[in-house]
Amino acid sequence: MKKFKPLSLLIHLAMLTLAITWLYPFIWMVVVSFKDTAQIYTTALFDGRFSLDNYAFLFDNSARADKPFLRTLFNSMFIAITITASVTLTSTLVGYAVAKI
Amino acid sequence: MASSWLGYSVLFWFYPFVWLAILSVTQWQFIGTPRFNGLYNFIGVMQDELFWKSMLNVLRFLFYYIPIVLVASLLFAAGLKRIKYGKGFIALSFLLANVSSGVAYSIVFSKLFSEYGPINEFLREWLGFAIPWFTNPDCAMLSIALIVTWKFVGYYGLILYSGMMAIPKDIYSAAILDKTGRFKQLYAITLPMMNAQIIMVLVLAITVAFGIFTEPYLITGGGPLNSTTTPMVVMYEAAFQNMKPSWAATMSIIVAACSFALIWILRRMFEKNIEIV
């Protein structure tokens, strides 16, 4: 393996740091989803009590009309699958037509 | 097959388009038939201060967004070019921002950048001051521009990266033989050779600027003092809160014309035909 040059090492470190910075909102979102609302601001990111309460709240009684989380999830899946299928189908047809012009 | 395609186009493209044109010269409130009222909508929108304030806000947004996003994605492309290990991870973590849902990240950012949120706590602890990200009229649009930059750097960066990779190596070899410095190589070779990609990024940036809705609507609600109201927010409120869909239609035509004009001017001024011989 070739040895790292100092400049190359520096660029790798900088880009990796930036990538983690870009991911920070997602990391924060995932970690905070395990905490109580009251603890979001008062504790450090990886401190505090972690629990699955939020997830339990989301999926408990999710068949009820006022909390239709599973239903909305299903709607998204349905739209994703139909759009992917129809776009793939029509795009191949259009691609063929354009290629023949 | 052709007839089904024509039918689809008529139903989902031509019909809304004609309906938009009809609405812009009529008065209609979601029920009944539209009543013709000529240029009344147009004159009304022209005198609407909030609408012009929002158009000015788009220019303010572009004033922040264009330099920040262009420099950031150029740096990203240049950095990615020199990466040997973990290129996929780095490109993907930037692109994850681009494919995530606008509503989800708007809520996350409104928490992260709130007055006592983690970012301000960090600043207070290490630098001794906090920034009123969304509560100061001068700062709010900059914050929105930073969030949109966060979203689009990976996407624009990859476009610029592809342009950067397409520049032939011999041009640089010739330049180095002539003892051209690194800085001169940048503005005499790299940037002019990437003209097509840079113009494309700028065109995409202008289109995005006229269409931002989720971030101001969810994070600031257009405030403070209407400093982050965008035409899309004004149109949405005109159509669905003030019950004036015909005004919204007129506004959308004006916004489309303005963004088209801006892109036309940009391409006229900066687009060049680059030929590699």
Side-chain angles (χ1 to χ4, degrees):
Chain A
M1 200 175 92
K2 229 173 76 176
K3 239 180 77 182
F4 267 113
K5 285 178 184 160
L7 182 66
S8 174
L9 189 68
L10 201 70
I11 289 171
H12 274 78
L13 278 179
M15 290 299 280
L16 204 64
T17 317
L18 280 173
I20 301 293
T21 315
W22 251 245
L23 286 180
Y24 177 72
F26 297 104
I27 298 169
W28 187 84
M29 184 170 71
V30 171
V31 172
V32 156
S33 76
F34 291 105
K35 290 186 185 180
D36 293 342
T37 314
Q39 290 191 327
I40 289 180
Y41 288 157
T42 49
T43 54
L45 189 56
F46 292 105
D47 274 356
R49 202 175 66 84
F50 290 93
S51 68
L52 287 168
D53 288 355
N54 295 332
Y55 290 88
F57 172 77
L58 203 55
F59 285 102
D60 266 3
N61 297 322
S62 60
R64 262 167 41 200
D66 58 331
K67 231 170 61 179
F69 180 68
L70 280 182
R71 175 71 211 185
T72 57
L73 209 60
F74 169 77
N75 287 349
S76 283
M77 293 295 283
F78 180 77
I79 291 172
I81 291 167
T82 31
I83 287 188
T84 312
S86 46
V87 162
T88 317
L89 191 69
T90 49
S91 300
T92 46
L93 294 174
V94 170
Y96 181 77
V98 170
K100 286 284 168 183
I101 284 175
Chain B
M1 196 58 97
S3 65
S4 68
W5 181 77
L6 276 180
Y8 182 84
S9 302
V10 166
L11 191 62
F12 286 102
W13 185 83
F14 192 66
Y15 174 68
F17 205 72
V18 170
W19 189 233
L20 178 80
I22 291 174
L23 276 191
S24 68
V25 289
T26 52
Q27 204 208 340
W28 185 64
Q29 284 181 322
F30 293 110
I31 39 171
T33 43
R35 207 153 37 79
F36 182 76
N37 65 357
L39 285 176
Y40 178 78
N41 289 331
F42 187 74
I43 294 165
V45 169
M46 279 295 179
Q47 287 168 344
D48 188 353
E49 271 181 37
L50 188 62
F51 176 69
W52 290 109
K53 170 104 187 165
S54 74
M55 290 298 263
L56 190 71
N57 282 338
V58 169
L59 290 185
R60 280 177 55 229
F61 175 82
L62 280 172
F63 176 76
Y64 295 128
Y65 181 56
I66 295 267
I68 295 174
V69 87
L70 198 61
V71 170
S73 33
L74 274 171
L75 285 176
F76 171 71
L80 198 63
K81 199 181 152 199
R82 286 161 163 271
I83 291 285
K84 291 195 197 74
Y85 303 100
K87 198 177 238 174
F89 171 75
I90 288 167
L92 275 181
S93 38
F94 279 82
L95 276 172
L96 186 63
N98 192 259
V99 295
S100 54
S101 142
V103 176
Y105 72 71
S106 292
I107 294 172
V108 169
F109 272 112
S110 72
K111 301 294 175 216
L112 281 179
F113 285 82
S114 68
E115 202 181 341
Y116 294 100
I119 308 282
N120 268 350
E121 288 298 329
F122 176 83
L123 286 177
R124 236 179 243 124
E125 197 171 315
W126 293 96
L127 301 169
F129 65 89
I131 298 173
W133 296 101
F134 297 120
T135 44
N136 184 323
D138 297 319
C139 210
M141 198 45 125
L142 178 64
S143 309
I144 303 261
L146 285 176
I147 292 172
V148 182
T149 306
W150 170 83
K151 178 172 184 177
F152 278 100
V153 157
Y155 183 53
Y156 297 164
L158 278 192
I159 294 174
L160 294 178
Y161 174 73
S162 72
M164 212 176 257
M165 295 302 275
I167 303 174
K169 294 276 177 295
D170 8 339
I171 301 182
Y172 289 107
S173 312
I176 291 166
L177 269 186
D178 288 338
K179 293 200 168 56
T180 316
R182 271 180 176 276
F183 187 66
K184 183 144 193 212
Q185 279 180 35
L186 175 70
Y187 78 88
I189 302 173
T190 313
L191 290 182
M193 292 293 281
M194 286 166 63
N195 185 280
Q197 284 78 21
I198 292 176
I199 294 293
M200 183 170 170
V201 163
L202 290 178
V203 168
L204 288 176
I206 291 173
T207 354
V208 162
F210 279 94
I212 41 171
F213 174 77
T214 323
E215 292 87 356
Y217 190 75
L218 278 174
I219 300 176
T220 59
L225 300 174
N226 285 327
S227 64
T228 56
T229 314
T230 61
M232 291 299 140
V233 174
V234 176
M235 266 151 64
Y236 175 81
E237 281 171 356
F240 299 112
Q241 284 172 8
N242 304 333
M243 292 295 162
K244 283 181 187 165
S246 38
W247 274 50
T250 317
M251 285 173 186
S252 76
I253 290 174
I254 296 175
V255 169
C258 284
S259 88
F260 183 81
L262 206 56
I263 289 170
W264 188 77
I265 293 170
L266 173 93
R267 294 187 61 181
R268 219 40 209 284
M269 280 173 72
F270 296 112
E271 192 166 32
K272 290 190 188 73
N273 205 1
I274 305 288
E275 276 181 43
I276 300 170
V277 280

